[in-house]
Amino acid sequence: MRRAITVGACVLVLVGCAADTTSSASQRDSVTDSIAAIARGELGGRACSPEIYDTSCTGNGGKPEYWCADFARWVWEQAGVSDTSGLTAAAGSFYVYGENHGTLHDTPHVGDAVVFDYAGGGYADHVALVTAVEPNGTIETVSGDWGGTGESEAAFSSTSRVALNAPAYASGVGSTPSVMGMTISGYISPAGTSASAGGGCAGYEDGLYCGGDYVSGDAGTLYRCTGGELSVEETCASGC
């Protein structure tokens, strides 16, 4: 097993034998594959039909609200993601979720949420779901609330649909793919999925770890591993 010892603001990780995580890895892969399949199965869907994605139909004073985050959260929940705490109708809530759960990272994986134009304070312009990662690193995504018309929130959201963002586009954080017209801010895995994607710490001993040191995450953040899942312990003023 891996043990973590805190020394001041630093963490010393002692590496031993990791537990056998084959079964849990298969379960995580099943969830992420389901996210992609469910998202693709909703292509053409709208705020109020054939499904209602959380508060997409009525969240704007009884009218449709901007619902890209509603859709992404709904898909995660339908796929069996057990922890969607903190996710709201705000696209930026996914970025905050990633920070809080230690699942924010720079490399896309199927099932991840990808946030665009994150401006801080929980605000972003859009969130989509990664449904394919090509061998050359490009990605395809499915977006809710895409392609609407009209200037008001209700008008745009009532005419937008679930759409496939294709052809596959460059996935680098900080890049602005033309098919999206927005800048990629980061990728967020559901808590408890794909430890290699920053989604957890399955197989590691409970304790404290620096981001990038056996667990993914920000190198200046100290994470706590509890039962295979990560949470943010504190931000290190001088790095970990």
Side-chain angles (χ1 to χ4, degrees), residues 65-66 68-70 73 86-95 122-124 127:
E65 66 183 352
Y66 294 129
C68 62
D70 288 330
R73 178 178 58 180
L87 296 179
T88 69
S93 68
F94 277 83
Y95 196 97
Y123 179 82
V127 61

Side-chain angles (χ1 to χ4, degrees), residues 88-112:
T88 69
S93 68
F94 277 83
Y95 196 97
V96 175
Y97 174 100
E99 291 179 318
N100 290 341
H101 289 78
T103 67
L104 174 66
H105 52 97
D106 292 344
T107 303
H109 293 74
V110 171
D112 284 355

Side-chain angles (χ1 to χ4, degrees), residues 4 41 48 54 79 99 114 119 126 133 140 147 157 165 167 190 198 220:
C48 301
D54 290 335
E99 291 179 318
V114 50
H126 188 63
V133 180
E140 286 187 356
S157 301
N165 307 125

Side-chain angles (χ1 to χ4, degrees), residues 57-80:
C57 189
T58 58
N60 178 24
K63 299 177 182 179
E65 66 183 352
Y66 294 129
W67 52 277
C68 62
D70 288 330
F71 173 74
R73 178 178 58 180
W74 180 88
V75 171
W76 274 13
E77 290 172 345
Q78 296 300 304

